[in-house]
């Protein structure tokens, strides 16, 4: 379980806190939608969950371990994180390497990593771009690639910051089905930041609305 | 004198004088005096010591490292300190180490002078000094771009770490390699964005009128000129400090 306990967070050089004494929890095997107005702090919350930001007060714990006491790569073994902007998380030379990057870091054998990467490339319809430079993909394709790279890791939790942005109707449904499958079969805990009522109603079990 | 009120052209002049003096002056004494002068300008200009420290803190590690490297690896000159009959610090090494770190520190501090005031004022200052408006605008736009670039680089590094990359507790060489390979996409993205930015600017009629006028004009006040003269004189006086010590 990821627990957020009584956190207060404000950005450096700003004086209005985004969160004040805010608490929440996210269980495994559950899809929780997080919504709220623009600028309400959804991205900030997700970065706090992944340990990219640290609260000034209170704590964020992943399975009982505080994010403060862990390195990002250790958190990455338990939590997969999708940035809101796909450009900020693609950094390899080819689409294929983008997916195997994390798998290799997990210590997977080359054969296994290749198989897994190809499975996700096919699932997200990216197989024809296998050896292309990720920077040249369209926005929706980049978003799918970033999703593939995060979901291929098979972590216990995934935090997705607006994953449906830029996906067409068909791809949106496919993403939703994959999330359901991950949740049911791998008992994965999914935090889904989302603005679309329809998508949330269809796939999320619970909705957390962040007040402004 | 409060630096907010000083004419931006004067601030640019001060920055140029002090940082070039820092490069020209050959003696640690004059550099130390220059450092004091730069600090004095900042304090008198309204910056609290804490703020100076917060802004310069990040560089202190680098300066310290440069100092140690120069100190330990410069073998010329008379040895000052031995370790088991091995000279480890020489007078020449210590001197160059001092020079290098003082210079860097002064340049950083003098750059803080132009942090006072608004970027619009600097735009005016540059255009009134006959710098073409396009170039002045681009210099300032580029400067504003830097923090965004840094944020982006941080995001990329976080993303790589969350996908299992270890950066801490690895060798220096490995770290360097990783950073370089991660910076490449950031730089590539920046170039791409610069191109798009130029289209966006032209789409909003940048350069449509060849002559651009502005309502406000900067006027040099007597105080500004006096202030500049005093500091220029101080810099010149500092240049002569080493002569005093020799006699
Ligand atoms: N680096 C930063 N420094 C200062 N303030 C920031 C920073 N990043 C975000 N903010 C501010 O924090 C608030 C919350 O931002 P956040 O990105 O979490 O919003 P969001 O809910 O994700 O919005 P959106 O729906 O547009 O994605 C905003 O008001 C924003 O201006
Ligand atoms: Mg957001």
């Amino acid at each position: 379980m990821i627990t957020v306990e009584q956190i207060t967070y404000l950005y450096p050089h700003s004086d209005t806190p985004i969160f004040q004494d805010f608490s929440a929890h996210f269980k495994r095997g559950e899809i929780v939608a997080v919504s709220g107005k623009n600028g309400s702090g959804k991205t900030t919350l997700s970065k706090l969950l992944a340990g990219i930001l640290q609260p000034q007060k209170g704590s964020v714990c992943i399975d009982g371990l505080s994010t403060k006491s862990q390195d990002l790569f250790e958190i990455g073994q338990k939590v997969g994180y999708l940035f809101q902007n796909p450009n900020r998380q693609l950094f390899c030379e080819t689409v294929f390497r983008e997916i195997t990057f994390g798998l290799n870091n997990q210590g997977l054998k080359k054969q296994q990593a290749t198989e897994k990467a190809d499975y996700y490339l096919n699932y997200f319809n990216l197989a024809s771009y296998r050896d292309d430079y990720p920077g040249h993909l369209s926005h929706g394709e980049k978003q799918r690639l970033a999703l593939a790279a995060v979901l291929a890791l098979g972590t216990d939790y995934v935090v997705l910051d607006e994953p449906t942005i830029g996906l067409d109707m068909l791809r949106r449904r496919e993403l939703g089905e994959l999330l359901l499958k991950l949740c049911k079969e791998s008992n994965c805990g999914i935090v889904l930041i989302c603005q679309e009522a329809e998508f949330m109603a269809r796939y999320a079990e619970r909705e957390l609305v962040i007040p402004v | 004198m409060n630096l907010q009120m000083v004419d931006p052209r004067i601030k640019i002049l001060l920055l140029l004088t002090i940082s070039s003096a820092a490069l020209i002056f050959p003696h640690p004494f004059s550099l130390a005096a220059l450092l004091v002068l730069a600090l004095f300008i900042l304090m008198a200009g309204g910056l609290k010591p804490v703020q100076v420290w917060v802004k310069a803190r990040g560089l202190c590690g680098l300066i310290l490292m440069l100092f140690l490297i120069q100190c330990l690896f410069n073998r010329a000159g008379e040895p000052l300190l031995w370790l088991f009959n091995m000279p480890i610090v020489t007078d020449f090494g210590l001197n160059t180490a001092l020079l290098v770190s003082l210079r860097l520190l002064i340049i950083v501090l003098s750059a803080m002078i132009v942090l006072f005031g608004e970027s619009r004022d600097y735009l005016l200052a540059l255009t009134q000094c006959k710098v073409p408006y396009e170039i002045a605008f681009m210099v300032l736009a580029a400067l504003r771009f830097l923090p965004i670039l840094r944020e982006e680089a941080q995001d990329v590094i976080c993303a790589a770490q969350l996908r299992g990359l270890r950066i801490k507790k690895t060798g220096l060489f490995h770290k360097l390699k990783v950073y370089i390979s991660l910076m490449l996409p950031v730089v590539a993205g920046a170039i791409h964005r610069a191109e798009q930015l130029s289209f966006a600017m032209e789409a909003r009629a940048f350069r449509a009128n060849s002559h651009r006028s502005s309502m406000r004009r900067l006027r040099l006040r007597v105080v500004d000129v006096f202030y500049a003269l005093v500091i220029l004189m101080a810099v010149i006086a500092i240049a002569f400090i080493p002569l005093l010590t020799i006699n």
Side-chain angles (χ1 to χ4, degrees), chain A residues 96 99-100 103-104 107-119 130:
Chain A
F96 177 71
I99 299 183
T100 51
L103 300 175
N104 290 336
L108 248 62
K109 296 235 170 58
K110 199 171 170 196
Q111 167 96 34
Q112 277 174 307
T114 310
E115 271 170 24
K116 210 166 180 179
D118 279 328
Y119 172 80
R130 197 173 186 271

Side-chain angles (χ1 to χ4, degrees), chain B residues 85-101:
Chain B
N85 290 334
M86 270 243 303
I88 47 171
V89 177
T90 66
D91 60 349
F92 184 76
L94 191 64
N95 194 35
T96 21
L98 266 178
L99 285 182
V100 169
S101 22

Side-chain angles (χ1 to χ4, degrees), chain B residues 11-85:
Chain B
K11 282 185 265 189
I12 296 174
L13 180 74
L14 287 186
L15 163 65
L16 292 179
T17 333
I18 295 179
S19 50
S20 28
L23 293 178
I24 295 167
F25 289 178
H27 203 280
F29 283 152
S30 38
L31 286 179
L34 206 56
L35 182 68
V36 173
L37 178 69
L39 274 174
F40 175 76
I41 295 176
L42 289 175
M43 303 290 167
L47 209 61
K48 294 195 188 71
V50 194
Q51 290 168 307
V52 178
W53 169 241
V54 166
K55 287 202 163 82
R57 187 173 46 187
L59 267 168
C60 281
L62 178 69
I63 292 176
L64 198 69
M65 202 174 79
L66 276 179
F67 183 84
L68 286 179
I69 289 176
Q70 290 285 348
C71 242
L72 297 179
F73 294 102
N74 208 320
R75 285 267 155 269
E78 290 292 306
L80 290 178
L81 198 68
W82 274 273
L83 186 73
F84 306 119
N85 290 334

Side-chain angles (χ1 to χ4, degrees), chain B residues 109-122:
Chain B
L109 286 182
S110 60
M112 281 186 203
I113 295 176
V114 288
L115 289 184
F116 286 87
E118 282 190 38
S119 56
R120 269 192 324 172
D121 288 345
Y122 287 105

Side-chain angles (χ1 to χ4, degrees), chain A residues 11-12 14 18 37-44 84 162 195, chain B residues 151:
Chain A
Y11 279 102
S14 99
I18 313 273
K37 294 201 180 107
N38 285 147
S40 58
K42 302 182 295 294
T43 299
T44 311
Q84 184 166 9
E162 314 220 359
Q195 304 276 27
Chain B
E151 217 172 82

